[in-house]
Amino acid sequence: VATVGLFYVGIDAILEQMRRKAMKQGFELNIMIVGQSGLGKSTLMNTLFKSKVSRKSVVSTPEERIPKTIEIKSISHDIEEKGVRMKLTVIDTPGFGDHINNENCWQPIMKFINDQYEQYLQEEINIDRKKRIPDSRVHCCMYFIPPTGHCLRPLDVEFMSRLSKVVNIVPVIAKADTLTLEERDFFKQTIREELRANGIDVYPQKEFDEDSDDRMINDKIREMIPFAVVGSNQEYQVNGKRLLGRKTKWGTIEVENIAHCEFAHLRDLLIRTHMQNIKDITSSIHYEVYRVRRLNETNGQPNAQPPNTLVNPQQANGVAAQHQVLTHEM
Amino acid sequence: MDAIMLQEKLVERLLCPRVRTSRQKEKQYVGFATLPNQVHRKSVKKGFDFTLMVAGESGMGKSTLVNSLFLTDLYKDRKLLNAEERINQTVEIIKHTVDIEEKGVKLKLTIVDTPGFGDAVNNNECWKPITDYIDQQFEQYFRDESGLNRKNIQDNRVHCCLYFIPPFGHGLRPVDVEFMKALHEKVNVVPLIAKADCLTPSEIKKLKDRVRDEIERFGIKVYQFPECDSDEDEEFKQLDKELKECCPFAVIGSNTVVEARGQRVRGRLYPWGIVEVENQSHCDFVKLRNILIRSHMHDLKDVTCDMHYENYRAQCIQDMTSKLTQDNRMESPIPMLPQSTPDVETDRLIKMKDEELARMQEMLNKMQQQIHDGKDQ
């Protein structure tokens, strides 16, 4: 360690330099929302970002039909707050879980996620690559659990089990205003147990905690998830203030009131404190796992179809060995 | 700073869910304005690194300047060679690494020294060890970046090269021109006029004008400061303009602290007066330090990554594919397109590009295999 002299070098100024650059460039965030229709996904997105960002808000006459196959629809918005610009992309998956036979409904979603990784990889190995590769990778997949109050359904387990290996999953209990506080706590506890029993690692994943500070904060979060949320686009007058809420004959549910529902916690987690971390885990872990698998299996032909084999990631030194990656069927 | 405090408060609230706190102020905002601070927090934890190369003949005050810039004492155990010992000396590359911490920010600074440069009688191609070193760092990074385990890549690429021009002559000497031209497309070159305390202000001005002129005439691409944003205030723009007109910086360094005008300052004590390193009317040290550390460190790193490294990488890949072509006697990846219908042409181009990528990937895999085998032995 050097002996620092009388005066001040000024290296902390690099933080300001970085900040300026980040502000100029802006940020990107890609969120996918998955769940049966009618669970309030679009409303929740609009509530989270305080603007009409969902697919339904953009399409002028939203069709309420259930598509025959699962569709993947991306809508991007440029939003700005206090000088920070963000390109938010909401990826909707209408048709998921809505059919009579929902076997393999996770496939198109898995394919979409892997396609984004593939696109990034192709750009990265390009000879003449862009200075800043456009990031379309899915940073976070919000999975909406219906508020049955009992336990997870086989579809929920199947989906989260497969997708948690390739993307950050944030499960939420949708339309939580049908659960009392006791029912809610019981439901959450059951869900947590079932996730554990099925080896499903949702965000924040225990194995990616960087240090003891992170672990402490994330342990607390892990005891609280899944967040029970209520969304709303309507404002009501409550105690002299205008608040977002749902008005019923027995009272008004205030969306941002943590005594009513956990929307605020979800928002804080997702946006105000862990957004960068979510993106980092996507790029430095999920994407890297994909990349290693592709480099290994295609053996020099990056444009070839990957064969249907299970690749052992332990070949690659240093990659988290627990991350057994299942192949997707094309 | 208040955005960091806000974040801390939010985390706190997350940890104590039952506590109701006033949320009036943050209600209106979605809250992603904390993003730059989330990034910032991570960087503070991780720390930064910066590699600075110094080049120039012996006795130009390079070591002293480095010590003055970073307030370090890097060379205390150095043994200076005499003339005889220097006859057979070749240009060496010596790295010094030091960890600096200030206001919670950690910097791992690497100084790459090039003793022996320009000291011999015959200095033909004395810059070769230096260009080789820079290329090696690029190559190392390229391998790491293309490899399978990218978790802890060490970035040893040279972010900036300070080149010391002697104040005694009348501008650039042939060795100065050749050196800078050999390096200007591999690293950010910042030319300096060394030991500027032997020149009067008008002599300095004349020398700077001459050097600037020669830099342009010989087509030397020194590091360019990025343009100011149009929305910056006038004061900033004025400072920026002054900075650009001041190049090359005329610098003075000092390892000693002297008393001047009632203060303790870094300086050089002469019978005729005291030269203060940090006095802007005495030399451009402060400007250099501000550029290097306080305002352009990040940009120097960016230009290294986005321009110099990318050029190296593209060149490397092209060399690899052309070498493969020679070895396998395949069709050249850069075809001479015959006259054909647009569709066929596009298809052919796509096919060409695919093959190019495939070959490149194969080459990379071969390289990785070689490293792998090398490790086993």
Side-chain angles (χ1 to χ4, degrees), chain B residues 49-173:
Chain B
D49 58 61
F50 189 70
T51 303
L52 178 69
M53 179 181 264
V54 288
E57 289 168 2
S58 300
M60 286 288 109
K62 304 189 290 295
S63 320
T64 311
L65 188 72
V66 167
N67 282 341
S68 307
L69 274 171
F70 295 98
L71 300 179
T72 54
D73 204 1
L74 287 174
Y75 299 90
K76 31 183 204 296
D77 298 323
R78 183 171 66 158
K79 186 174 112 19
L80 290 169
L81 303 175
N82 61 29
E84 257 189 282
E85 287 167 319
R86 286 185 196 184
I87 288 177
N88 291 319
Q89 193 195 23
T90 49
V91 179
E92 284 178 85
I93 306 283
I94 297 187
K95 273 170 44 168
H96 301 269
T97 308
V98 62
D99 289 311
I100 306 177
E101 182 170 342
E102 241 179 27
K103 294 197 180 165
V105 178
K106 294 188 274 281
L107 177 72
K108 175 165 160 264
L109 174 71
T110 305
I111 305 286
V112 180
D113 209 347
T114 56
F117 174 83
D119 284 346
V121 175
N122 181 358
N123 287 311
N124 255 344
E125 302 234 313
C126 61
W127 49 85
K128 195 149 186 322
I130 298 172
T131 51
D132 284 348
Y133 176 82
I134 295 175
D135 282 342
Q136 272 162 30
Q137 307 316 304
F138 281 154
E139 192 186 319
Q140 179 69 51
Y141 194 83
F142 183 33
R143 274 180 210 240
D144 288 348
E145 192 191 40
S146 311
L148 295 177
N149 183 2
R150 311 203 295 181
K151 207 154 189 289
N152 290 316
I153 299 183
Q154 267 235 329
D155 187 3
N156 292 319
R157 296 174 293 185
V158 181
H159 300 124
C160 177
C161 176
L162 296 179
Y163 185 67
F164 289 67
I165 300 167
F168 314 122
H170 294 284
L172 297 177
R173 304 161 302 160

Side-chain angles (χ1 to χ4, degrees), chain A residues 3 9 17 21 288 291, chain B residues 29 71 102 147 150 298 302:
Chain A
T3 49
V9 177
Q17 295 171 40
K21 182 179 179 197
E288 288 297 311
R291 179 177 172 271
Chain B
Y29 298 106
L71 300 179
E102 241 179 27
R150 311 203 295 181
H298 200 65
D302 279 349

Side-chain angles (χ1 to χ4, degrees), chain B residues 249-267:
Chain B
F249 296 124
V251 293
I252 301 168
S254 170
N255 279 331
T256 53
V257 176
V258 296
E259 180 114 7
R261 295 177 291 129
Q263 287 180 314
R264 283 163 63 73
V265 293
R266 278 201 177 231

Side-chain angles (χ1 to χ4, degrees), chain A residues 77-89:
Chain A
H77 293 264
D78 286 313
I79 49 183
E80 193 237 315
E81 193 172 84
K82 292 191 187 168
V84 178
R85 286 173 304 116
M86 181 156 80
K87 175 164 171 251
L88 171 71
T89 304

